[in-house]
Amino acid sequence: MREIPTIDDMAALLRELCERFPAICRRRLIGASRKGEPLELVSIGDGRQNALVFGGPHANEPVGFLTVLRLASALCENAAERQGFTWHFIACVDPDGARLNEGWYGGPYTISHYHRHFYRPSMSDQPEWTFPIPSGRKRFDRPLPETLALMRVIDELRPAFMLSLHNADFGGAYFQISRDVPGLPAELAAIAAGQGVPLDLGPIDTVGYQVAGPGVTLLPPAEHIDFVETGGDARTPRTYGASSWHYADRYGTFTLIAEVPLWTTPGCDDPSDAGLSFGHLVKAAAVRLREELEPLARARTDIRSQCVAHSPFHAAVDDTLAVSHLLIASLEGAVDREDAARTVTRAEASGIHDTVRRLPLRACAMFLRLLEAETAAGNHQAALTAVRATLEERLRRLCAAAEEELVPSADPIGRIVTIQTEAALATARRLRFAQG
């Protein structure tokens, strides 16, 4: 069983790698996090074009740390794989947020243990979601220090290839690429299959994207994106911005986003008829989300004025609830769409069910951590104690239901690292061939 390294471990391991291969491996400081964590860039090789790889794009997605180590080591040891590129690595772009997840890094890799130590910042506190939006109905220009550091690196390198190392909690493996490269979608799908991971044919965050192949979609060009949220108001200020691939798009960068789950969802790769209409699916999903989230929202309102601890969980819980209510509004609005009567596939249904499962788990888990921070601050008010007991029971129920429905792996971390590493090397080879 592999174990995810901490932020401190990663710094030490990358330093050791550079010391082992001083002729081809070097590192430099590129910035600091909001809490003063150093952000370093490790560069390997001397190819004409640049490849940029970064881990931890979201605070609860640290498995890419190990991918950075494996891929960087492989490149140091094999000159043929470095051919044509200078490779650049950022171990983690959100070390502050990652530290608040370190409680689950060492396992056991169960849904319960994962959520007891879960943290995902509000969108406005995520470096991957505060890139500028310079024009349009929802402008944004409040990048975080970590985002600014990544922007400077992208501006300097103008990477030909950029890889963002995500890992999902539930579902199947899926890949997003910024343009089609002949043969690559099939190769990426084969890499996932080789590790026994089903492809996700219906992830909710790629709905509407052009399909390049099973489990592989094309990212829309940045200039074609309307950044107004479904159910939002174009007149209100946007609290978060664009993503790294939007920003790198100006340089013609080929971006690969590799999403691989910790737990797989049965049916995520099944294109067969689910036996229900799209309208019925989204209506049922909206009802279930309301049932799970409204008690949490009421409890949050009831205890808000009694909290004294200044923890990041306040913003995280509020943002998760706000995103959930936007999704509910979107689902309810979709009931009246022209295609509401069409039959959905089992994969589409699986993607919706995963989202309905995911959001209440996250909201409940971080709400509990919010209350634990209150207790640690000496705040023992009876109302907080009562809400905490209710949330403990709710989280147990949600985790038990998820553990019954999802499929665990004997080595979830290892298979994610293998898929991401092989995907990176396969993409680099294809890009070299395409460029002659």
Side-chain angles (χ1 to χ4, degrees):
M1 179 71 70
R2 293 162 177 80
E3 183 173 316
I4 300 168
T6 65
I7 293 298
D8 290 337
D9 292 337
M10 279 298 296
L13 290 165
L14 286 173
R15 183 169 58 250
E16 290 172 10
L17 181 70
C18 290
E19 291 169 354
R20 282 172 51 211
F21 297 94
I24 58 170
C25 190
R26 53 210 177 273
R27 61 194 180 96
R28 60 184 167 101
L29 191 68
I30 57 169
S33 74
R34 283 155 286 170
K35 291 191 173 182
E37 297 274 2
L39 299 172
E40 289 193 335
L41 185 75
V42 172
S43 301
I44 298 170
D46 58 359
R48 181 174 60 87
Q49 294 187 306
N50 292 305
L52 175 62
V53 181
F54 58 90
H58 300 299
N60 62 304
E61 300 181 6
V63 183
F65 300 173
L66 281 169
T67 305
V68 165
L69 289 171
R70 182 183 293 186
L71 181 56
S73 297
L75 292 165
C76 285
E77 294 164 359
N78 188 337
E81 294 290 9
R82 299 195 302 270
Q83 183 182 355
F85 287 101
T86 300
W87 291 78
H88 307 269
F89 296 88
I90 303 172
C92 177
V93 295
D94 185 10
D96 297 348
R99 284 198 183 276
L100 291 172
N101 280 277
E102 288 183 348
W104 66 268
Y105 286 7
Y109 299 117
T110 64
I111 292 169
S112 178
H113 186 70
Y114 171 69
H115 284 94
R116 290 303 317 213
H117 301 279
F118 180 91
Y119 171 66
R120 187 175 175 109
S122 65
M123 296 282 278
S124 61
D125 289 327
Q126 294 185 33
E128 176 66 348
W129 278 117
T130 62
F131 284 80
I133 302 172
S135 61
R137 293 187 291 163
K138 282 286 188 175
R139 298 187 182 194
F140 178 88
D141 192 24
R142 296 192 301 279
L144 299 173
E146 300 91 334
T147 309
L148 288 169
L150 188 50
M151 287 167 59
R152 288 192 296 268
V153 169
I154 292 171
D155 289 337
E156 174 192 339
L157 299 178
R158 301 188 173 212
F161 174 31
M162 186 170 75
L163 172 59
S164 179
L165 297 169
H166 295 251
N167 64 264
D169 35 23
F170 317 132
Y174 63 100
F175 305 88
Q176 300 172 68
I177 55 179
S178 54
R179 64 178 180 270
D180 202 358
V181 173
L184 181 59
E187 187 168 5
L188 293 173
I191 288 169
Q195 292 299 308
V197 179
L199 293 172
D200 198 328
L201 304 184
I204 198 167
D205 56 350
T206 64
V207 170
Y209 286 10
Q210 183 180 344
V211 175
V216 184
T217 55
L218 297 178
L219 293 162
E223 67 268 18
H224 293 174
I225 297 174
D226 183 347
F227 287 99
V228 178
E229 300 92 340
T230 302
D233 185 339
R235 296 167 297 179
T236 58
R238 184 180 171 94
T239 59
Y240 65 98
S243 186
S244 56
W245 66 268
H246 301 131
Y247 190 78
D249 193 58
R250 68 192 61 196
Y251 299 118
T253 301
F254 178 89
T255 295
L256 167 65
I257 297 174
E259 295 266 15
V260 192
L262 290 161
W263 297 274
T264 57
T265 304
C268 68
D269 59 343
D270 189 347
S272 67
D273 190 330
L276 74 162
S277 70
F278 174 75
H280 177 81
L281 174 66
V282 296
K283 182 178 181 180
V287 168
R288 184 179 166 195
L289 266 178
R290 280 197 183 278
E291 289 174 347
E292 291 291 354
L293 290 164
E294 285 190 351
L296 297 176
R298 286 196 299 270
R300 175 69 178 132
T301 299
D302 291 344
I303 61 93
R304 186 182 298 275
S305 63
Q306 300 177 52
C307 295
V308 298
H310 297 287
S311 80
F313 298 105
H314 291 280
V317 171
D318 291 343
D319 187 72
T320 304
L321 291 172
V323 168
S324 300
H325 284 112
L326 273 177
L327 177 60
I328 290 169
S330 177
L331 291 169
E332 290 174 337
V335 173
D336 297 323
R337 275 177 23 181
E338 290 183 3
D339 65 343
R342 72 172 177 85
T343 302
V344 297
T345 66
R346 293 184 182 276
E348 285 180 279
S350 171
I352 294 291
H353 292 325
D354 273 340
T355 302
V356 171
R357 175 188 293 117
R358 180 183 298 114
L359 290 171
L361 272 167
R362 289 181 174 183
C364 187
M366 291 191 289
F367 201 164
L368 265 174
R369 294 193 72 181
L370 182 158
L371 293 175
E372 288 167 358
E374 292 297 322
T375 301
N379 187 357
H380 301 286
Q381 295 183 67
L384 301 187
T385 302
V387 170
R388 182 171 174 177
T390 301
L391 291 177
E392 290 277 8
E393 179 54 38
R394 181 176 291 271
L395 185 60
R396 278 194 293 269
R397 173 177 61 79
L398 291 170
C399 287
E403 285 164 355
E404 185 175 328
E405 296 166 358
L406 299 170
V407 180
S409 165
D411 185 12
I413 307 303
R415 71 182 187 180
I416 294 173
V417 173
T418 298
I419 290 171
Q420 291 182 335
T421 302
E422 291 185 5
L425 294 173
T427 301
R429 293 185 202 109
R430 295 271 177 185
L431 292 175
R432 281 198 298 267
F433 177 79
Q435 294 159 359

